[in-house]
Amino acid sequence: MALVDNDALSTIGEKGKRIWLYPLRVVGRFVRARTLVAWGLIIALFIAPWIDVAGHPAMFFDFPHRRFYFWGLTLFATDANYLLFLAGTLVFGVFLFTAVFGRVWCGWACPQTVFLESVIRPIEELIEGKPSQRKKLDAAPWTPGKVLKKGLKLSAFLAVSGMVSTTLVAYFLGRDGVIEAQFDPASHPIGTAFFVAMTGIMLFDFTWFREQTCVVVCPYGRFQSVLMDGDSLAIGYDYARGEPRGKAAKGGESTEKLGDCVDCKKCVQVCPTGIDIRKGNQLECVNCTACIDACDSIMDKLGRERGLIRYSSENSLKGEKTRIIRPRVVFYSVALTAVLIGFFTAVTLRQPVEIALNRLVGAPFVQLPDGRYQNQVELRIANKSGADKTFSVKLVAPADAELFSPFPEFKVTHNQVTKFPILIRQKHPGQRTSGFALQVSDGEKFQERIDGVFLAPDRE
Ligand code: SF4
Ligand code: SF4
């Protein structure tokens, strides 16, 4: 039994076989703007691990040293609260954005759409030609010409996949690491494995899987229908204006009986997921705007008003009022504002220097030959400021104890964590010492007191 039109995937045939799409490339005001945004994002993605901001790569996840560099902000492993705020911002930002703007992310910023529509399809068209030529080429027997074109296309896609994967690896290995891994893959086995896997996945996506990623795999596509409602922005067909559809009467004027849709099907031909937007909002629509530009070009030719397919809400297309302020939007806005305030407060109150005192493992205290007790501790100084610092450490309590350190000075370079062993020693044998306090200062604004417990047999 045939499925109801709108319940069937446009890329899967009656017998479950993949229907290969040959979308027509259209150029209009939305596609032009989207291409500009896409190239801005691609450039940002490619340069972020290679350029320096405040002395470090703009973006670098330095796991071995537990640092995360983000456009001038350096996060340490102890800054997990920032990640919590960032995760909250991401979650509520996506909720709010989707409730208000629908799937704008999919069409304008999703890496899948960005690369597929702005890089891969133009390359394909350059090598294999327009959709009709591509279709003919695919159906044709293998000839040297076809092998050459397919080989050229595969090489180009492989080059793009390789470049993107190299960049992604650079986010984790850093500039030097990724260059080293390129020349000596065994030097960074995990990075090399990631590079090979990512290149393979991207190549598979670019050459074959394509729109199936959005239609079948993408989780965001699945839950966006829960986040959206009739007031969310979407790309929709103005049914009231377009129907009943039919060919334009001579002279391009709309007849009395027909709507503005001339049933040219250009909106379907340009759709990268193969759907007909005139059937209403569909899960497969990635909001790529191609159908808007396609339809606008037809309306221009016919001298009719643009916008038969346009950004609008479902309610607006039904002739009802679109409500921007509604309970879900208010809730998501409040939640997003709260996490953003939390994030900026945490950044503002962030201490440029963090001090911690740890016991040395193994022998936290020893008895000296003259009977005095000595504690071995480790002073951990995290210098989160942008400058190298030299700290002074002195024992401020108790008066009957003394401090020894093998280091003449406590120098910590910027964005580094350094640990210094310190000895706290009783001045007299037989004295009872219960605690001690250190004062750490950078000679400028920073000064902090840190207390510790003095361990001895009667205090173990
Ligand atoms: S492009 Fe516009 S006029 Fe042509 S079929 Fe689609 S909606 Fe109708
Ligand atoms: S329906 Fe229009 S906006 Fe949606 S994916 Fe197809 S062409 Fe893009």
Side-chain angles (χ1 to χ4, degrees):
M1 192 173 70
L3 288 166
V4 177
D5 255 8
N6 220 8
D7 285 347
L9 280 180
S10 50
T11 50
I12 296 180
E14 282 282 310
K15 290 184 180 161
K17 206 164 172 254
R18 169 94 175 267
I19 297 172
W20 191 258
L21 298 177
Y22 296 91
L24 186 70
R25 264 171 48 77
V26 65
V27 180
R29 57 193 171 133
F30 282 106
V31 171
R32 238 178 258 123
R34 219 164 37 77
T35 306
L36 267 182
V37 172
W39 277 102
L41 292 171
I42 291 171
I43 290 168
L45 174 86
F46 274 100
I47 65 168
W50 300 96
I51 57 161
D52 272 1
V53 177
H56 292 281
M59 276 187 76
F60 178 25
F61 300 85
D62 186 0
F63 282 113
H65 299 100
R66 281 168 283 174
R67 302 276 188 290
F68 173 35
Y69 301 99
F70 184 77
W71 296 97
L73 181 70
T74 303
L75 298 180
F76 289 63
T78 48
D79 293 327
N81 55 333
Y82 292 88
L83 296 180
L84 209 65
F85 286 125
L86 283 176
T89 305
L90 192 75
V91 169
F92 290 115
V94 166
F95 283 11
L96 178 64
F97 201 75
T98 309
V100 178
F101 298 109
R103 291 182 75 171
V104 168
W105 157 265
C106 299
W108 292 75
C110 172
Q112 165 79 5
T113 315
V114 163
F115 276 99
L116 199 57
E117 301 306 321
S118 300
V119 181
I120 295 303
R121 291 201 202 276
I123 291 176
E124 185 170 62
E125 190 160 309
L126 193 72
I127 297 171
E128 293 186 351
K130 303 236 170 273
S132 54
Q133 295 169 297
R134 297 204 296 270
K135 202 170 179 178
K136 219 166 129 191
L137 184 73
D138 284 352
W142 284 95
T143 59
K146 180 169 172 173
V147 171
L148 184 72
K149 280 186 177 174
K150 292 286 177 193
L152 203 60
K153 185 174 89 169
L154 195 65
S155 308
F157 289 180
L158 183 64
V160 174
S161 309
M163 280 193 285
V164 179
S165 302
T166 304
T167 304
L168 293 182
V169 173
Y171 276 85
F172 297 94
L173 292 187
R175 291 178 293 235
D176 298 340
V178 79
I179 291 169
E180 204 174 47
Q182 291 289 329
F183 288 104
D184 178 13
S187 63
H188 295 276
I190 296 178
T192 303
F194 183 79
F195 167 79
V196 172
M198 279 312 296
T199 305
I201 290 169
M202 272 186 260
L203 191 63
F204 171 71
D205 184 49
F206 294 157
T207 51
W208 193 76
F209 210 51
R210 297 195 170 183
E211 78 287 340
Q212 297 300 310
T213 303
C214 311
V215 175
V216 180
V217 178
C218 177
Y220 178 57
R222 305 274 85 72
F223 73 77
Q224 54 93 24
S225 50
V226 182
L227 302 172
M228 287 171 68
D229 57 21
D231 290 310
S232 305
L233 194 69
I235 291 177
Y237 167 69
D238 190 339
Y239 194 85
R241 182 184 149 190
E243 300 296 317
R245 67 188 74 159
K247 294 287 172 210
K250 270 188 187 162
E253 290 305 314
S254 185
T255 66
E256 257 178 54
K257 282 185 196 154
L258 292 179
D260 275 349
C261 174
V262 290
D263 206 17
C264 65
K265 296 194 173 54
K266 197 165 177 194
C267 52
V268 184
Q269 290 161 12
V270 298
C271 181
T273 58
I275 59 171
D276 185 346
I277 192 69
R278 295 173 300 168
K279 291 177 183 170
N281 261 343
Q282 289 151 75
L283 194 79
E284 296 97 312
C285 175
V286 292
N287 272 223
C288 75
T289 69
C291 55
I292 302 184
D293 281 338
C295 191
D296 280 352
S297 72
I298 300 296
M299 293 298 116
D300 287 350
K301 272 188 202 152
L302 297 174
R304 295 178 190 170
E305 199 189 335
R306 287 178 169 188
L308 180 55
I309 298 176
R310 61 179 183 271
Y311 270 118
S312 188
S313 72
E314 231 174 67
N315 286 341
S316 168
L317 287 172
K318 279 193 259 168
E320 293 166 18
K321 204 166 170 273
T322 299
R323 290 176 314 141
I324 302 284
I325 313 286
R326 41 202 208 275
R328 71 172 70 201
V329 171
V330 172
F331 175 75
Y332 296 151
S333 304
V334 170
L336 181 63
T337 309
V339 286
L340 280 175
I341 289 174
F343 177 71
F344 287 113
T345 308
V347 170
T348 313
L349 298 179
R350 190 179 195 230
Q351 293 293 332
V353 177
E354 274 178 11
I355 307 286
L357 206 56
N358 303 314
R359 293 270 162 207
L360 277 184
V361 183
F365 70 88
V366 290
Q367 187 171 28
L368 302 174
D370 62 6
R372 291 179 298 151
Y373 282 97
Q374 172 181 286
N375 276 203
Q376 284 98 253
V377 292
E378 183 183 71
L379 185 65
R380 180 185 181 278
I381 305 179
N383 178 4
K384 297 181 178 181
S385 73
D388 297 351
K389 284 182 180 291
T390 303
F391 297 89
S392 64
V393 181
K394 64 180 179 186
L395 188 72
V396 288
D400 55 357
E402 47 199 2
L403 178 150
F404 291 94
S405 166
F407 295 94
E409 54 182 16
F410 298 79
K411 199 166 181 179
V412 187
T413 48
H414 66 284
N415 292 330
Q416 293 300 321
V417 179
T418 310
K419 295 170 183 171
F420 301 95
I422 283 179
L423 308 176
I424 316 287
R425 194 178 287 169
Q426 290 175 329
K427 273 189 181 166
H428 314 289
Q431 75 182 61
R432 286 182 65 85
T433 310
S434 56
F436 63 90
L438 303 176
Q439 185 172 290
V440 183
S441 160
D442 69 349
E444 294 169 21
K445 283 185 189 162
F446 178 79
Q447 186 168 303
E448 190 173 308
R449 178 187 160 121
I450 186 158
D451 293 292
V453 175
F454 190 89
L455 293 181
D458 59 332
R459 303 200 53 79
E460 275 183 77

